Amino acid sequence: HSSVDPSIPSALSNNDFIVFFTNKIGFIGLPNMKYYYVFLFFVFIISVLGNTVVMTVICLDQNLRTPKYVAVFNLAFVDLLGSTALVPKVIDIFLFNHNSITYNDCMAFFFFCYSFLSMQSLNLVALSYDRLMAIMFPLHYHVKVTHKIMFSLILFFWLLVFISNIMAIVLLTRLSFCNSVVINSYFCDYGLIHRLACNDNFPSYVLGHILPVLILWIPLVIILFSYICIGHALGKVAASEERVKAFKTCTAHISLVAIYYVPILISFTMYANIHQNARIINLSLTSVVPPMLNPIIYVLQTQEIKCSIKKLIQIKSIPLLSSLPLFS
């Protein structure tokens, strides 16, 4: 390695490479940022509780063990793990001023954060497939959406995410860092890491442009195309009540898509025009808010889950009532 900033440790090998995060660099001129991280902590708690409830209800209710709820369970599972991988580490870094991380830990941090955030996007594709088949082929739905098909689809998505992120890490390990190891972000951001390299980072640069297309934009195009097909199919339905009833089955999924993609679209389209503080806050909220809202939306907008929760509460309350003297 060539000359190194004296404030940076001289050892920059893959085993003891240090990546720094600083409040001064992360957020410029914003006082009382500790309250923002406390807010992230409460968002994390709500996300963990909500997704755990959804997963538990699906496991306990036999009626919810359908292909559709395989995808819903996987979405809750991914949201739970994604929040757990990101939020505690971010709070530890910024709120408790542990502003350094080893190279290997940074790679692990990157892998898990990117994997779970990517799976959120791809899970929405699986759910859009379910809605597309349910509305366009209602009589053949149980043939076109089976447990085998849904498990195969989700397994393919997991393999795609793992392989692409492992490739990204392999390319990062080829890089040398001569001048700075300070990442101006709230987590181990792939794009910011490879831009710090002082040797050839072109493969990482190319992969950094391919991954968003593969993980974000192609899934979004597929989802939008599925709803164009759904709209075309519903347009052929004569009765307006039937159209409304069919469309209501899509409202939960549409809400999830909007919550996930709208902030990302804003971040990408206004990336060069918004202040660094606003960009970091927007990206961090994009990462933590959807996992919190997803279970709330599914509980409030999905009739099957609401009925299942009511039924489970009644079943649990019967032994409690029978144990009281008035009912014994």
Side-chain angles (χ1 to χ4, degrees):
H1 299 283
S2 61
S3 60
V4 179
D5 189 318
S7 65
I8 299 170
S10 58
L12 298 178
S13 67
N14 286 3
N15 293 326
D16 53 6
F17 185 98
I18 303 294
V19 177
F20 286 91
F21 299 76
T22 64
N23 284 322
K24 184 181 292 186
I25 291 178
F27 294 99
I28 300 173
L30 289 183
N32 300 320
M33 280 307 299
K34 63 182 180 180
Y35 297 114
Y36 176 69
Y37 301 116
V38 173
F39 165 74
L40 288 184
F41 173 75
F42 284 107
V43 169
F44 168 68
I45 295 299
I46 295 172
S47 176
V48 169
L49 292 176
N51 286 293
T52 301
V53 167
V54 170
M55 293 166 61
T56 303
V57 170
I58 293 173
C59 288
L60 293 178
D61 192 341
Q62 295 277 355
N63 297 324
L64 295 182
R65 296 181 187 177
T66 62
K68 171 186 175 181
Y69 285 100
V70 170
V72 174
F73 181 92
N74 193 57
L75 179 64
F77 177 69
V78 167
D79 286 343
L80 177 63
L81 293 183
S83 297
T84 304
L86 179 65
V87 178
K89 188 61 180 177
V90 169
I91 292 173
D92 178 61
I93 290 169
F94 287 104
L95 190 59
F96 298 103
N97 295 320
H98 296 156
N99 298 330
S100 64
I101 184 172
T102 65
Y103 179 87
N104 290 334
D105 286 347
C106 185
M107 291 299 99
F109 192 24
F110 157 80
F111 177 81
F112 288 113
C113 288
Y114 268 81
S115 294
F116 298 135
L117 288 173
S118 300
M119 275 304 299
Q120 289 178 24
S121 174
L122 296 173
N123 259 303
L124 296 175
V125 175
L127 289 168
S128 70
Y129 170 75
D130 172 81
R131 290 300 84 207
L132 181 65
M133 295 299 106
I135 292 176
M136 291 196 67
F137 307 101
L139 299 179
H140 301 92
Y141 171 75
H142 294 291
V143 177
K144 294 182 178 293
V145 184
T146 63
H147 282 91
K148 182 179 179 179
I149 291 173
M150 190 59 74
F151 276 119
S152 299
L153 190 61
I154 290 173
L155 178 61
F156 170 75
F157 289 153
W158 276 110
L159 290 174
L160 174 64
V161 166
F162 281 157
I163 291 172
S164 61
N165 286 323
I166 288 173
M167 287 177 57
I169 290 175
V170 169
L171 291 177
L172 286 178
T173 59
R174 298 174 59 255
L175 302 179
S176 299
F177 303 87
C178 308
N179 300 315
S180 175
V181 287
V182 178
I183 296 180
N184 187 7
S185 184
Y186 63 98
F187 77 120
C188 290
D189 193 312
Y190 178 74
L192 297 179
I193 293 175
H194 76 70
R195 289 191 188 99
L196 294 174
C198 54
N199 61 338
D200 180 23
N201 66 350
F202 183 72
S204 296
Y205 174 83
V206 172
L207 187 63
H209 283 76
I210 292 174
L211 289 181
V213 174
L214 191 65
I215 299 299
L216 289 176
W217 307 127
I218 291 178
L220 179 59
V221 169
I222 293 172
I223 292 168
L224 293 176
F225 179 74
S226 71
Y227 275 102
I228 291 172
C229 295
I230 288 173
H232 180 70
L234 292 179
K236 295 181 179 179
V237 177
S240 60
E241 291 182 2
E242 292 182 10
R243 286 200 297 268
V244 172
K245 184 178 179 181
F247 185 76
K248 280 185 176 179
T249 64
C250 302
T251 54
H253 181 254
I254 292 173
S255 300
L256 301 185
V257 171
I259 289 169
Y260 182 81
Y261 278 104
V262 169
I264 290 176
L265 290 171
I266 293 173
S267 298
F268 274 86
T269 55
M270 300 181 63
Y271 188 85
N273 299 320
I274 61 176
H275 191 271
Q276 172 183 299
N277 293 340
R279 185 172 66 251
I280 293 177
I281 290 174
N282 183 55
L283 288 173
S284 61
L285 290 176
T286 300
S287 303
V288 301
V289 171
M292 177 191 71
L293 293 180
N294 289 351
I296 296 173
I297 288 171
Y298 257 99
V299 169
L300 294 179
Q301 295 190 12
T302 307
Q303 191 63 33
E304 295 98 327
I305 291 185
K306 285 196 292 186
C307 293
S308 179
I309 291 175
K310 290 178 182 177
K311 184 168 64 176
L312 290 172
I313 292 174
Q314 289 173 354
I315 291 173
K316 296 294 183 182
S317 63
I318 289 173
L320 178 64
L321 288 173
S322 61
S323 64
L324 296 176
L326 181 63
F327 295 93
S328 57

